[in-house]
Amino acid sequence: NRASAGNSRTQAAQVTAALQGILPTLRAEGGVVRSDNPLAAFGYTLQQRTVSVASFNPASLNAPNPVTNWSGGVVAEVPIFNADAWTRRGAARDASNAAQASAGWTREATRAEVARGYFQAILAREATRTLEVAVAAARAHVRQAESMVSNGLATRSDALLASVQQGRLEAQLIGARGDAVIARERLALILGQPGDTAFTLPDSLPSASRIRSLAADRSDDSGTTRLDVMAARLGLDAARGDARRATTSYLPRLNGFGRVDWNSSDRPFAGRSSYTIGLIASWSPFTGASQIADRQATQGRVEAVRAALDASQANAGLERSATRTQLTVAVAQLGIAEASVAQATEAHRIVARKYEGGLATIAELLGAAATETETRLGVAAARYQVIVAEVAARQAAGVDLLALVALEN
C-alpha cells in the first residue's frame, strides 16, 4: 500500500511539473564584471548613466581605463499561448488519476488478502482445538482399552489399535499447531507488522448460518466499476491526451517577457533602473522529424493502452462470473459438509453405545471417531471456503469488503 501510494504521489507531481509552460516564471540575476575593452567599457559607463562630454574623448575611447560594473536584474517570463503545455497538463492529470485508481485497487487487493489471512488463522486455530478434543478422546479410548485388556474383556490388539489411532491424531495435532503459528505470522506480515503475533483471534470461524446470511445479502453490483478497470480507462484518457500534446507541438508559441536592470560601479542592484518588455513568437514546423516520431509513438501508446483496457474489462467480467459460480459451489459444499458432520456424530454415538455393550470392536469405534473428526475439520474448511469465495466475489465485483465485519465474533 505504501509503495503504490508513493507511486501515485510521484505521478501527481507530473501535474505540477506540467505548469512550466503555463505559469509565469520569475528570477533574479546579479553579477560583476571588469573590462578595459573599449566597447564594453563605454557600454558599462552608458548603462551606469555616468557618460559625460569627456567620455567621448577619442583617447579615452580608444584606450579606456578598466571599468567595473555591478549588475542586478529581475526577469519575468509570461507564457501567453503554448497549446502543448495545456494538453500536457491534461494528460498528466489523467495519468495521476489513473495512478490513484491503481493505488486504490492495490488497497482493495490488500484488504482481500488480509481477510483471507485473518480467517485462515482462525481456521487453523479451530482445527487445532478440534484435534485437541479428538486427541483427548483417543487417549481416553486407549486407557479404556488397556483397562479392558487387564480385565480380560479385550485383546491386546484392541489396545494397540487405540494407541495407533492416538499417535495419528497427535501427529495431526502437531501439524495443526505448526500451521496455526505460520498462519498467525503470515497475517502479521500482511498487516505490515512482521513478527508481531500478539493479537487475539476467535476460537472458531463464524457459524454456517451467519456465513450464509452474508452470502445471500448481495445487492445488485452490475453497475459498479472496479478500480483496476477505472485505472485502465483513465490510462487511455492520459494516452489520448499525450497524443493531443504531440499534435499541438506543431502550433506556434507566443510568450512575453519583462525585466528590470540596475547597473552600478560599486554595488549590485544600485543606480538607476531600466526596463525592457517584449513578445516572442516562435514556430517550428519541422524539427528534424522528432515531432513526427513523437506523434507516432503516442499513437502507438494509445493503441496499446486501449487493448489493455479491453483486456481489463473482459477479465473483470470473467472474474465476476467465475467468483459467483465459485461462491454458489462453496455454499452447496458447506451444506453437504454440515450433513456429513451430523451423520458422523450420530454414527459415532451409536458405535460407542454398541462398543460399551460389547457389540462393536475397538476398530469400529476408532473408525467412527476418526470419521467424526474428519467431518468436523471438513465443515470448518467448508465454512472458510465460503468466506474466501465471498471475499473473491466482492473483490471481483468492485464492492466494499467492509460487509465482512458481520462475521466478527
Side-chain angles (χ1 to χ4, degrees):
N1 286 347
R2 295 199 304 269
S4 62
N7 292 334
S8 177
R9 287 192 293 272
T10 300
Q11 187 61 53
Q14 299 302 313
V15 181
T16 305
L19 291 172
Q20 182 176 3
I22 300 174
L23 296 181
T25 61
L26 183 67
R27 71 177 186 273
E29 300 175 348
V32 59
V33 294
R34 182 176 175 81
S35 176
D36 64 355
N37 178 278
L39 184 60
F42 185 80
Y44 296 150
T45 303
L46 187 62
Q47 288 178 329
Q48 295 170 8
R49 302 175 190 266
T50 57
V51 174
S52 64
V53 175
S55 301
F56 293 94
N57 184 345
S60 62
L61 286 175
N62 290 323
N65 293 323
V67 176
T68 300
N69 184 68
W70 290 84
S71 63
V74 177
V75 184
E77 296 176 348
V78 184
I80 297 175
F81 178 74
N82 294 290
D84 58 331
W86 286 97
T87 52
R88 180 184 294 110
R89 177 169 169 76
R93 186 183 297 109
D94 289 333
S96 175
N97 292 336
Q100 290 179 4
S102 181
W105 181 247
T106 299
R107 288 193 300 272
E108 290 302 309
T110 303
R111 284 180 176 178
E113 190 66 18
V114 168
R116 285 189 288 266
Y118 173 72
F119 288 109
Q120 185 178 29
I122 298 175
L123 172 63
R125 182 175 173 83
E126 181 175 349
T128 300
R129 291 173 61 84
T130 299
L131 286 169
E132 286 173 345
V133 172
V135 167
R139 289 171 180 170
H141 288 324
V142 170
R143 290 193 297 269
Q144 182 182 16
E146 289 176 346
S147 175
M148 294 178 69
V149 170
S150 299
N151 295 325
L153 300 176
T155 64
R156 180 62 179 165
S157 62
D158 290 338
L160 293 175
L161 286 173
S163 296
V164 170
Q165 180 62 21
Q166 175 186 332
R168 289 175 179 172
L169 290 173
E170 287 177 343
Q172 284 184 266
L173 178 58
I174 292 172
R177 285 172 174 167
D179 291 341
V181 172
I182 294 173
R184 292 179 72 93
E185 291 177 346
R186 181 173 180 272
L187 178 57
L189 177 63
I190 298 171
L191 292 172
Q193 303 291 335
D196 184 6
T197 58
F199 46 79
T200 301
L201 293 172
D203 291 333
S204 62
L205 291 167
S207 65
S209 60
R210 291 173 64 187
I211 295 173
R212 282 198 187 89
S213 177
L214 176 65
D217 184 19
R218 295 293 300 278
S219 57
D220 183 18
D221 52 31
S222 58
T224 59
T225 301
R226 287 177 17 166
L227 288 175
D228 60 333
V229 176
M230 184 181 299
R233 190 171 296 159
L234 291 168
L236 178 58
D237 292 340
R240 287 170 172 166
D242 195 39
R244 287 192 295 272
R245 189 269 314 159
T247 300
T248 55
S249 65
Y250 286 97
L251 296 176
R253 297 178 176 86
L254 180 63
N255 296 283
F257 72 93
R259 63 180 301 143
V260 179
D261 294 287
W262 292 265
N263 291 273
S264 173
S265 61
D266 54 2
R267 64 184 188 278
F269 292 93
R272 292 178 59 184
S273 64
S274 61
Y275 74 88
T276 306
I277 59 174
L279 295 174
I280 297 178
S282 62
W283 183 38
S284 302
F286 185 73
T287 56
S290 62
Q291 290 174 315
I292 298 175
D294 185 24
R295 191 167 183 272
Q296 290 173 341
T298 56
Q299 291 294 339
R301 283 194 291 271
V302 169
E303 295 175 4
V305 175
R306 183 183 292 113
L309 173 59
D310 292 341
S312 179
Q313 290 174 328
N315 182 65
L318 176 61
E319 288 185 356
R320 282 176 187 259
S321 176
T323 53
R324 286 173 179 170
T325 300
Q326 291 167 354
L327 179 59
T328 301
V329 171
V331 171
Q333 290 174 336
L334 175 58
I336 295 172
E338 285 182 299
S340 297
V341 76
Q343 294 165 353
T345 301
E346 179 63 15
H348 184 198
R349 186 190 67 80
I350 294 172
V351 173
R353 293 291 299 273
K354 291 172 66 177
Y355 180 74
E356 292 171 358
L359 300 177
T361 65
I362 188 67
E364 292 175 318
L365 177 62
L366 295 177
T371 300
E372 181 182 359
T373 300
E374 290 174 2
T375 56
R376 289 191 180 279
L377 293 173
V379 79
R383 300 206 310 278
Y384 172 73
Q385 290 302 325
V386 175
I387 294 173
V388 169
E390 177 68 18
V391 170
R394 288 180 177 273
Q395 183 185 9
V399 299
D400 200 343
L401 296 176
L402 289 179
L404 294 172
V405 297
L407 299 179
E408 288 284 359
N409 286 334

